[in-house]
């Protein structure tokens, strides 16, 4: 049956097929600027996960190594023998002990050594060694913080650009139907989704790994306090 012309004009246009919203399709049909944004965010996500995996493993290894090293040190009967045997190990606790022993030997070799000055120099040397060690350990955490704070805005830039492109398509075709604007808006929102996909793990990992670094720093500080107490008793003796 043929509809009257005024009824036929009121009906929506026939669909030419389902609109595919798969990630690959959204990427391939996106504007070149939005594609660059998406690729940059995906690269940042891969970089973030590589840092998370490597940093987590390294932090766990350092924590266990320091625990074993400090236990062996406090159980050792001869400090000089222990330093000679294990003083060069690549562990934060070993570096802290090496700094303390080095300053102790230099200070006690001075003529007219003063106990108070030696204590001050020991505290300064161990504090500097501890700060340098923590700085080296947490070096790549700033990358996670940067990705976590910047990635959503980069994705938002891609979204704004994609929506501008959709409005340009509306103006060019002089058609405001959803079929015209939906693909462009979907591509734009996909850029924001990728930005969040990169940012959320980075923020969570930054908080968790920072907590792990703080725990390691607290452990090293306790070890430093123990060394300071030991050397202080030696000075009094």
């Amino acid at each position: 049956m043929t509809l009257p012309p005024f009824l036929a004009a009121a009906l929506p246009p026939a669909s030419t097929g389902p609109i595919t919203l798969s990630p690959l399709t959204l990427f391939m049909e996106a504007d070149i600027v939005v594609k660059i944004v998406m690729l940059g965010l995906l690269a940042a996500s891969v970089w973030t996960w590589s840092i998370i995996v490597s940093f987590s493993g390294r932090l766990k290894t350092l924590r266990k190594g320091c625990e074993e090293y400090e236990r062996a040190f406090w159980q050792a009967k001869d400090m000089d023998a222990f330093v000679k045997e294990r003083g060069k190990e690549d562990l934060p606790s070993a570096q802290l002990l090496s700094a303390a022993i080095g300053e102790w030997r230099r200070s006690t070799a001075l003529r007219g050594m003063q106990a108070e000055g030696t204590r001050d120099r020991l505290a300064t040397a161990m504090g500097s060694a501890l700060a340098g060690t923590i700085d080296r350990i947490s070096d790549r955490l700033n990358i996670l913080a940067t990705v976590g704070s910047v990635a959503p805005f980069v994705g938002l830039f891609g979204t704004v650009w994609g929506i501008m492109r959709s409005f340009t398509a509306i103006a060019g075709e002089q058609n405001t139907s959803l079929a015209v604007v939906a693909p462009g808006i979907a591509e734009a929102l996909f850029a924001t989704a990728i930005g969040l996909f990169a940012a959320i793990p980075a923020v969570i990992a930054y908080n968790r790994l920072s907590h792990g670094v703080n725990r390691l720093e607290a452990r090293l500080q306790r070890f430093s306090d123990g060394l300071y107490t030991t050397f202080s008793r030696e000075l009094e003796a």
Side-chain angles (χ1 to χ4, degrees):
M1 185 175 83
T2 304
L3 294 174
F6 69 91
L7 290 178
L11 292 175
S15 176
T16 57
I19 299 176
T20 304
L21 297 179
S22 67
L24 181 60
T25 302
L26 292 175
F27 173 79
M28 296 303 297
E29 294 181 356
D31 183 73
I32 182 63
V33 175
V34 182
K35 284 183 179 178
I36 294 175
V37 170
M38 291 180 181
L39 289 175
L41 291 172
L42 287 174
S45 179
V46 172
W47 193 14
T48 295
W49 278 106
S50 66
I51 292 175
I52 292 172
V53 173
S54 62
F55 198 100
S56 299
R58 181 170 178 243
L59 196 60
K60 183 178 180 180
T61 300
L62 289 177
R63 187 167 58 246
K64 289 184 176 180
C66 288
E67 181 180 356
E68 188 276 331
Y69 186 90
E70 293 169 20
R71 185 187 306 113
F73 173 78
W74 295 121
Q75 292 175 353
K77 299 184 181 300
D78 189 344
M79 181 185 298
D80 291 333
F82 181 87
V83 171
K84 185 177 180 180
E85 179 183 356
R86 303 189 59 180
K88 300 297 183 181
E89 293 187 16
D90 188 19
L91 287 171
S93 298
Q95 295 164 6
L96 196 60
L97 177 61
S98 178
I101 290 294
E103 183 56 43
W104 169 262
R105 289 173 177 171
R106 286 190 296 269
S107 295
T108 54
L110 296 175
R111 291 183 178 179
M113 181 198 68
Q114 295 182 355
E116 193 62 32
T118 301
R119 289 190 181 95
D120 291 341
R121 286 190 293 271
L122 279 171
T124 301
M126 288 188 291
S128 178
L130 176 59
T133 299
I134 295 301
D135 284 344
R136 287 190 295 272
I137 292 174
S138 60
D139 181 53
R140 292 192 297 172
L141 283 181
N142 64 323
I143 298 175
L144 298 181
T146 301
V147 172
S149 60
V150 172
F153 294 101
V154 176
L156 183 60
F157 169 76
T159 297
V160 172
W161 187 273
I163 292 176
M164 289 170 57
R165 181 168 172 259
S166 298
F167 286 152
T168 303
I170 293 173
E173 298 188 19
Q174 297 182 354
N175 189 346
T176 59
S177 68
L178 188 61
V180 174
V181 299
I185 293 177
E187 298 160 10
L189 294 176
F190 187 52
T192 298
I194 297 179
L196 295 175
F197 178 77
I200 292 174
V203 172
I204 295 175
Y206 175 80
N207 292 331
R208 292 300 304 166
L209 295 176
S210 295
H211 176 66
V213 172
N214 292 336
R215 289 180 59 191
L216 179 61
E217 183 179 7
R219 181 182 193 89
L220 293 174
Q221 185 61 57
R222 291 192 296 270
F223 183 55
S224 175
D225 293 341
L227 290 176
Y228 181 84
T229 302
T230 300
F231 288 122
S232 181
R233 282 197 298 266
E234 290 290 330
L235 286 173
E236 294 178 359

